[in-house]
Amino acid sequence: MDKNEADKLVEKLKGCGAKEVMEFLFGAFGVKAAIASSLGAEDQVLTCMAAGINRYFRIFTLDTGRLPQETYDVMQETIEKYRISYSVSFPEAGDVEKMENKYGPNLFYESVENRKMCCGVRKVKPLKKALSGISVWITGLRREQAATRGNLEIIEWDEGNNMIKANPLALWSEKQVWDYIKKNNVPYNKLHDKGYPSIGCAPCTRAIKAGEDIRAGRWWWETPEQKECGLHVKDGKLVKSKARDSRE
Ligand code: SF4
């Protein structure tokens, strides 16, 4: 698979809806196509759609070891409702042990470098591991989530990971996501009802107050331009996210 083939897919899938895109990808790539889920609202929409196609689709998630209980709850609920299995990618125990022994359990509050180190150990490295052997990475990214995602395509070539990145919900609005969830009774993280628009690890996520930026609850002790963890990179640059996006 290379960029040319990805470009052909862009043409082929032009005008297709989210479910049609996934139907095609699962049909053409089988378990070489995988949903990357962080149990966020968009990921839950994709999971529900995929389960309606074939419940043996491939879906993986990263368990950083610091997730809120509510995230495990929605994962369990999703497993039971759709009778699916997640492939869970964990950080290397040795990496975590070394990091915590040297910097302590709450290192992320001490400096941006420490926080990025923790994201590197607990998220970026496990993501690389989870993506190995996969040809198509399916994400719940949407254009509306950030100015930097304004050109997001439903099918893209991911240069950094050398694979196709599919974003079936690229053109969806936040309202469409939540309408779908309500209409289809899709399990969702209950922290969304408690003022958490964006959910990541427990020590790095808090509820926001009325009027605050929707990203204000993530790494709230850092300035906005520092709030990245390195999961989504495009053209050599980090893709900043906004809205209800917990894939980081
Ligand atoms: S979000 Fe916080 S706890 Fe989670 S990996 Fe990043 S720094 Fe570590």
Side-chain angles (χ1 to χ4, degrees):
M1 182 59 61
D2 58 23
K3 188 173 181 317
N4 287 340
E5 286 171 275
D7 290 342
K8 282 183 202 154
L9 271 188
V10 172
E11 279 306 308
K12 190 176 182 69
L13 297 174
K14 213 170 236 173
C16 289
K19 193 169 178 189
E20 286 172 282
V21 169
M22 285 205 294
E23 250 161 0
F24 175 83
L25 295 174
F26 289 140
F29 295 94
V31 292
K32 290 266 182 190
I35 297 176
S37 173
S38 63
L39 290 309
E42 288 84 357
D43 301 328
Q44 292 301 98
V45 169
L46 293 179
T47 306
C48 174
M49 281 181 184
I53 298 167
N54 167 7
R55 73 183 177 89
Y56 298 105
F57 64 94
R58 188 165 177 178
I59 182 166
F60 71 84
T61 191
L62 309 180
D63 186 343
T64 64
R66 303 296 296 252
L67 299 177
Q69 181 58 37
E70 288 83 350
T71 300
Y72 296 108
D73 290 344
V74 71
M75 185 175 169
Q76 184 65 39
E77 210 186 323
T78 307
I79 291 168
E80 288 171 12
K81 181 174 172 96
Y82 301 114
R83 294 186 298 138
I84 60 167
S85 302
Y86 288 87
S87 166
V88 186
S89 190
F90 292 91
E92 295 289 338
D95 291 348
V96 175
E97 193 175 290
K98 207 166 133 192
M99 178 176 71
E100 290 208 7
N101 279 334
K102 187 161 182 190
Y103 298 99
N106 288 337
L107 71 161
F108 28 75
Y109 297 134
E110 287 165 18
S111 68
V112 174
E113 291 69 34
N114 281 6
R115 199 272 295 162
K116 286 187 175 169
M117 184 196 312
C118 186
C119 284
V121 165
R122 293 183 184 275
K123 293 180 176 180
V124 180
K125 196 170 167 186
L127 176 69
K128 290 269 173 207
K129 190 170 68 178
L131 289 177
S132 66
I134 287 173
S135 304
V136 183
W137 175 20
I138 304 172
T139 85
L141 298 181
R142 293 186 296 109
R143 282 189 183 179
E144 261 189 8
Q145 287 165 332
T148 48
R149 290 185 184 171
N151 295 324
L152 191 75
E153 298 294 345
I154 289 172
I155 302 288
E156 298 184 326
W157 178 246
D158 182 343
E159 199 68 59
N161 290 303
N162 208 33
M163 65 176 63
I164 288 174
K165 190 170 182 178
N167 312 300
L169 305 182
L171 308 182
W172 280 41
S173 65
E174 186 179 356
K175 183 176 181 309
Q176 275 179 287
V177 171
W178 285 96
D179 285 350
Y180 184 97
I181 287 175
K182 299 293 177 197
K183 187 174 168 206
N184 295 283
N185 206 17
V186 177
Y188 66 91
N189 196 317
K190 295 302 175 276
L191 287 175
H192 286 311
D193 293 335
K194 296 179 181 169
Y196 290 73
S198 173
I199 304 162
C201 293
C204 300
T205 308
R206 67 171 186 185
I208 61 167
K209 298 185 193 94
E212 274 192 306
D213 185 271
I214 46 186
R215 292 282 294 162
R218 301 296 302 279
W219 304 301
W220 63 91
W221 62 94
E222 294 183 1
T223 57
E225 63 277 10
Q226 294 170 326
K227 295 185 181 191
E228 294 301 334
C229 69
L231 290 192
H232 292 285
V233 178
K234 191 175 182 193
D235 301 331
K237 293 177 189 149
L238 285 165
V239 178
K240 295 183 180 179
S241 63
K242 237 176 160 183
R244 293 173 192 258
D245 175 19
S246 48
R247 268 165 304 285
E248 54 187 302

